[in-house]
Amino acid sequence: MLESLLWGAVAAAPLVLGAVLAGIRAWPDRLLGIVLGFGAGALIASIAFELWQDGLEQGGPVPLAIGVALGAAVYFTADRLVERWAKRAGGGAAAGVPLALGALLDGIPEQLVLGFGLADGAGVSVALVVAIFVSNLPESIGSSSDLLDGGVKRPAVLGIWSAVAALCALSTVAGWALADVASASIRTGLNGFAAGALLVMMVDSMIPEAQKRAKDLAGVATVFGFALAAGLSALGG
């Protein structure tokens, strides 16, 4: 159990680190766009080579497809609710929330799966840990910067991401505890859920924001992020 808590904390640490980095200084728009594009590329690789591929190998296409549909629907619905709240609150307070929501809906099932692997005796590679940093850190930096620009105070931003990180870390422990009763179909569905939520978040929020801020450099940054994360995934596999 202690091992699962440790690895859960390590995997969730980039979320808090990103909030700290965003609070230390104001990031130039172009640099922030490059960071977001890089993170989007890393997430695409994570979906393709970790969530999707592992899901197919564990439980096949049907539970994976169901999980993807559920993840997309939950994120879409939650994001629409955030938009309505933003209109009532005046807009600024909700800046950056979609990325935080995506990180939460991705992180919980992803770290449940990490807990399952630890309970089954599977090791955690350094490459996997680095890949998590590569994908999660830009999400947190981008969301935190948007929240700060929208008028949210630094302690509140740090509190939001600390709560997301804590829930994700505890999900690793939950996965470890539930490993004996979680079937291959459930594990595959969780992979699909995370993939579906991430895909909608990237297309709706992360990639448009990267393009808006970094302009012509967004595509190149996305390719670099994809290449690095895909290479790390191959090393970890």
Side-chain angles (χ1 to χ4, degrees), residues 11-36:
L15 302 175
V16 179
L17 178 60
V20 172
L21 291 174
I24 290 175
R25 52 163 294 178
W27 289 60
D29 263 6
R30 198 166 181 81
L31 180 58
L32 187 57
I34 291 172
V35 169
L36 287 170

Side-chain angles (χ1 to χ4, degrees), residues 2-237:
L2 287 177
E3 183 184 14
S4 65
L5 181 59
L6 172 63
W7 281 114
V10 169
L15 302 175
V16 179
L17 178 60
V20 172
L21 291 174
I24 290 175
R25 52 163 294 178
W27 289 60
D29 263 6
R30 198 166 181 81
L31 180 58
L32 187 57
I34 291 172
V35 169
L36 287 170
F38 188 90
L43 287 173
I44 292 170
S46 176
I47 292 169
F49 300 113
E50 299 290 342
L51 298 173
W52 189 266
Q53 184 172 317
D54 289 351
L56 281 177
E57 292 174 356
Q58 285 187 85
V62 174
L64 185 61
I66 292 173
V68 168
L70 285 174
V74 169
Y75 178 86
F76 179 83
T77 302
D79 192 43
R80 298 293 84 79
L81 292 174
V82 168
E83 285 184 359
R84 292 181 186 177
W85 168 73
K87 290 178 181 178
R88 291 196 298 269
V97 172
L99 291 182
L101 180 63
L104 180 65
L105 294 180
D106 158 53
I108 288 178
E110 191 174 56
Q111 292 198 215
L112 276 168
V113 172
L114 175 61
F116 293 152
L118 289 169
D120 292 341
V124 178
S125 70
V126 174
L128 176 61
V129 175
V130 175
I132 291 173
F133 261 83
V134 166
S135 60
N136 283 350
L137 189 60
E139 275 187 281
S140 179
I141 293 174
S143 172
S144 299
S145 297
D146 283 345
L147 287 166
L148 290 168
D149 290 344
V152 181
K153 300 299 183 183
R154 290 181 185 180
V157 172
L158 187 59
I160 289 171
W161 280 104
S162 295
V164 172
L167 288 172
C168 291
L170 290 174
S171 296
T172 305
V173 180
W176 176 85
L178 297 173
D180 290 339
V181 297
S183 66
S185 293
I186 291 175
R187 299 185 187 197
T188 298
L190 288 169
N191 274 11
F193 185 95
L198 279 177
L199 284 169
V200 178
M201 182 274 290
M202 282 193 297
V203 174
D204 280 1
S205 302
M206 199 170 190
I207 293 175
E209 193 67 20
Q211 179 64 40
K212 174 184 174 183
R213 293 176 182 266
K215 306 206 182 319
D216 53 327
L217 293 178
V220 175
T222 301
V223 171
F224 279 126
F226 177 87
L228 177 58
L232 289 170
S233 178
L235 289 174

